[in-house]
Amino acid sequence: MMLDPFSLSISTVADTLNSNIDCGLNEREIKLRLKTYGKNEIAANQTKSRWKILFDQFKDPIIFILAIAAGLTFLFNEDLPETIAIITVILITITIGFIMELQGIRSLEALRKMGFIESTVLRDGKIKTIKASLLVPGDVLLIEAGDVVSADARLITAENLMVKEASLTGESRAVEKRVNSLPVNTVLSDRKNMVFKGTTVEQGSAKAIVVATGTNTELGKIQKMGGDVEEQRTPLEKKLNALSKWLIWLTLIFGILIVFTGYLRGLDMLLIIETAVALAVAAIPEGLPVVATIALARGMLKLSKRQVIIKKMEGVETLGATNIICTDKTGTLTEDKMQVHTLVFEDEILKEIQNNSPTQLDDVKHSQAFCALMMTSILCNNVVLNTEQLKGDSIEIALVQFAEKLHFDLNKIKENNPEKTEIPFNTSSKLMATLNKNDDGFTVYAKGAFESIVNYCDTILNDEKPQEFKNKREWLSHVSDMASQGLRVLAFAYKHQETEPKKDDLLSHLTFIGVIGFLDPAREDVKSTINVYKEAGIKVVMMTGDHPGTAKKIAEEIGLLPKNAASNCIIHGNELQFEGQASPTAHKNLLDASVFARVTPEQKLKLVTFYQENENVVGMFGDGINDIPALRKADIGIAMGIRGTQAAREAADIILKNDKFTTMELAISQGRAVFDHIRQFVVYLLSCNLAEVVSVGLAALLNLPAPLLPLQILFLNLVTDIFPALALGMGKGEVDIMKRPPRKANEPIMGRKRWASTIIYGLSITVAVVGITAYAYFSLQLSSVIINNMAFYTLVLAQLFNVFNMAESKVSFFNNEVIKNPWVWSAIALSLIITVSAYYISPISEALFLTKLTLEQIGWVVIFALGSLALSQIIKRLGGTF
Ligand code: ATP
């Protein structure tokens, strides 16, 4: 590792690192360095170790309860086989938990490996894009606005470079960077000639040489000091854990009650303890949190195959509740393939330039206004020329292409007019300007939104000379006309003087040149997606920095507004008021509006907050540095994989790899399906457990013969319940999933209706189990072992059939998501095979006290089990539950 690179000259740094600042490292050297220094990753990105996963399984309260059960069985019963059986169950529980958690973590690792953080480097003299994890010391890094810096590096060149280092220094304002060397004792926050891993480039561009990677970076050191990052649980996992804990307490109280009443009634202590243990085991839904985690992780993996990367597991859960989607316009709702369409300067309006031949410009080609327009287009422009594919802002690319079409020699013009300084484009000021030096002095070239530019202009170029700018209103109406055709409009201005103007004075006294309208058609597929959202109760809100006219036209084309909508449907940034909250009507208008134009990034953030305060769950599209606060604030931040800046992708919760607005629809429907499934198996597992608790409790209270044994119940919970629950999580989702409103954000997993369903299904199963016990005892007069076995098998079958109760009550029993789910059928088959095998494997059958049943007895088991399904279905359909 290099010591104090900020105090050394660039050449010394490069020499020490054995690198070349003009062509970077070569492949052979990179391989060697990767071996020496390791990958450019830090601890927080590394996943939980296998040992820790295993160790964590022992922390589960269920394991404690089982251990106590094993101890009690041994102490009171001196029954070694049963104690061993319970210990085996503990081991099985731990193994299942371990395997399932490992599977969840593997899915997350697979997602991480897709590596969406990339870096641009100079290697072997060529510009390459590589995974950031493969950076090595000595690499020459190229960075630009919107990038997240991937390693610590010493700057070689820097142009207008401003970097936000809040993650490192806590300073929220961007810091200006320079290349000159600094004294050895310079503190971290003052090391202006360095860029650090994890910081964000807000403006400008730079070339830098990597001096530290991975844990050797400043960020790595901080994280090492902080120790292991505490593992975060999703809100859903927390809710489920809370539910499990609640059930455990309930069971303990119930258990103590049974022991106490049993003791008072003078029952055999052994029997009492046995019942209490059985009850404790019956009440706890062992598989619940794990099955939920698996469902979420599977949802994530499934979406990743369809180009949607979900970075945090809770994202899947939030998606299902999203009811407002805020989106920008350019590139998300439109194609972002700009073309120059209309030129307006002096008295000339030249329309549909792209469709006609450039010869239509012959008459005006030599006018001063047209030349000034073209010079501004070429010089006030940051597109990188001479590359295979033009890189940069699409509006600027359109200007370059237009100039090339008219045979302007762009390189020569740039060479003869070197740029001295630049006011970069920013979404708040909505303009950009450059100061260029030429033979006879200095020229300022400016372009931007009409309202922004016109404020600085007091003259207009007319009849080959600047004249007083009197007809601003007339121009405003030209611009509105163009915008109402859906064109994106840019205004142009300049000023020339012999002496160099001061940086603060660049924009004063400009001469207006004219405007250019760009065509950016709406995306074809957006309209149908917006209709799907409408049906799904999700409101789409367009928040654009563009002109209200352009916004309105595009909104009409994609069906966000009706055709020829009144212009007051659109809220202008100037009209937005949040502080001291406006009148109730204004409040309502704000909630009802679906198009906001000329809004700044700060206003976008305020709008997101406003929606959230009014109990909405907000998804937000964003791609620029300025969108980051709103992306973070939104419940779901969404960034585009191709077009979005790295910083936006870092801040977002979801990345759409294919940049398509329409893919969000898939993500939302998947999010809804996953939540539905989680609810289904919570109801399923709880109703099964309820059946067990009530059956055991009733048997104890009514002094019934042959109650269910603890090991039988454990077998049920671990073998027969888990597979159908997992299978429910594999379902496709109901067909009408996008035809119903989103669930409310604060809606609990289990509402009143679902508790009612759980009780109905649980009691139906209990009726069957208690029913067969009573029938076998009173009517068939069978032995207690046979009665116990018949009750046990009835419980197994009734619980398996219970899975079919999980479909919604409004769909047909024979045609629904659950019955059509092949995983459910496989799970039932698997559970049955395991149950039958248990009978044939003698140690298991002995531990479970299984004995041979006659065909008639099996027939009764099937009838009673089917009866429980029929009973639940009748009550459910009559009562309209779930
Ligand atoms: P959105 O992407 O949110 O739909 P937008 O891209 O139209 O909106 P901004 O990027 O904030 O919004 O642009 C606002 C205005 O700034 C544009 O309408 C245009 O007039 C002007 N503008 C856009 N890009 C540039 C640029 N590269 N240089 C100068 N002005 C620009």
Side-chain angles (χ1 to χ4, degrees), residues 367-399:
S367 76
Q368 214 185 337
F370 182 75
C371 291
L373 203 59
M374 293 315 293
M375 286 298 274
T376 316
S377 303
I378 295 165
L379 293 170
C380 185
N381 192 317
N382 279 327
V383 169
V384 185
L385 301 175
N386 313 325
T387 50
E388 245 170 68
Q389 219 187 350
L390 292 177
K391 240 182 108 181
D393 182 61
S394 55
I395 214 164
E396 295 187 352
I397 291 178
L399 287 172

Side-chain angles (χ1 to χ4, degrees), residues 115-348:
F116 23 82
I117 294 292
E118 290 179 328
S119 296
T120 311
V121 285
L122 200 61
R123 283 181 172 180
D124 276 332
K126 292 191 194 97
I127 297 178
K128 290 181 182 167
T129 306
I130 59 157
K131 274 191 188 162
S133 58
L134 299 180
L135 276 176
V136 290
D139 254 327
V140 176
L141 199 59
L142 301 174
I143 48 182
E144 56 180 23
D147 281 359
V148 175
V149 182
S150 303
D152 288 0
R154 164 78 159 91
L155 289 171
I156 303 169
T157 60
E159 279 177 51
N160 291 316
L161 189 67
M162 302 282 285
V163 182
K164 259 197 176 157
E165 297 185 334
S167 55
L168 216 57
T169 61
E171 167 64 56
S172 60
R173 271 174 307 161
V175 189
E176 195 177 345
K177 295 282 180 179
R178 282 183 230 105
V179 292
N180 29 347
S181 311
L182 298 163
V184 183
N185 55 2
T186 312
V187 292
L188 186 69
S189 53
D190 289 340
R191 293 180 195 162
K192 303 249 152 107
N193 59 8
M194 296 277 299
V195 282
F196 299 101
K197 185 176 174 82
T199 58
T200 318
V201 184
E202 181 150 291
Q203 179 185 306
S205 57
K207 186 170 160 184
I209 180 161
V210 173
V211 294
T213 56
T215 41
N216 291 327
T217 58
E218 295 298 331
L219 191 68
K221 285 186 214 159
I222 291 179
Q223 299 211 343
K224 244 196 296 192
M225 275 189 304
D228 269 356
V229 184
E230 190 53 32
E231 175 200 359
Q232 289 282 318
R233 290 201 173 274
T234 69
L236 187 78
E237 279 179 302
K238 282 187 199 148
K239 275 187 207 166
L240 290 176
N241 276 332
L243 191 70
S244 295
K245 280 202 186 115
W246 185 76
L247 286 172
I248 289 170
W249 280 111
L250 207 69
T251 316
L252 282 179
I253 294 169
F254 220 48
I256 293 170
L257 214 68
I258 290 236
V259 173
F260 193 63
T261 49
Y263 179 74
L264 287 186
R265 282 166 63 190
L267 295 181
D268 179 12
M269 201 57 197
L270 202 72
L271 191 71
I272 302 172
I273 298 284
E274 181 112 11
T275 313
V277 170
L279 206 72
V281 172
I284 301 163
E286 283 85 349
L288 202 58
V290 189
V291 177
T293 312
I294 296 226
L296 288 174
R298 226 184 75 86
M300 285 168 82
L301 211 61
K302 222 168 144 184
L303 282 172
S304 75
K305 293 198 183 110
R306 308 181 78 167
Q307 309 284 314
V308 184
I309 307 285
I310 303 202
K311 293 195 344 206
K312 283 194 211 118
M313 232 190 253
E314 55 258 49
V316 182
E317 188 193 339
T318 322
L319 273 172
T322 307
N323 69 333
I324 292 190
I325 292 190
C326 302
T327 160
D328 51 353
K329 172 181 66 69
T330 314
T332 311
L333 303 177
T334 66
E335 295 276 2
D336 199 20
K337 290 189 187 120
M338 308 268 175
Q339 280 190 338
V340 171
H341 178 278
T342 308
L343 301 183
V344 189
F345 52 92
E346 296 191 344
D347 299 327
E348 305 284 344

Side-chain angles (χ1 to χ4, degrees), residues 327-332 334 338 380 393-396 425-433 446-452 488-491 542-547 550 598-601 604 623 627 643:
T327 160
D328 51 353
K329 172 181 66 69
T330 314
T332 311
T334 66
M338 308 268 175
C380 185
D393 182 61
S394 55
I395 214 164
E396 295 187 352
F425 172 70
N426 127 6
T427 34
S428 296
S429 67
K430 296 187 172 54
L431 59 77
M432 165 185 177
K447 71 180 196 311
F450 179 79
E451 305 93 301
S452 304
R488 204 167 138 85
V489 185
L490 218 54
M542 182 203 280
M543 295 180 185
T544 175
D546 215 341
H547 190 282
T550 321
R598 288 287 191 234
V599 283
T600 60
K604 288 187 187 181
D623 48 22
D627 294 333
R643 201 165 43 84

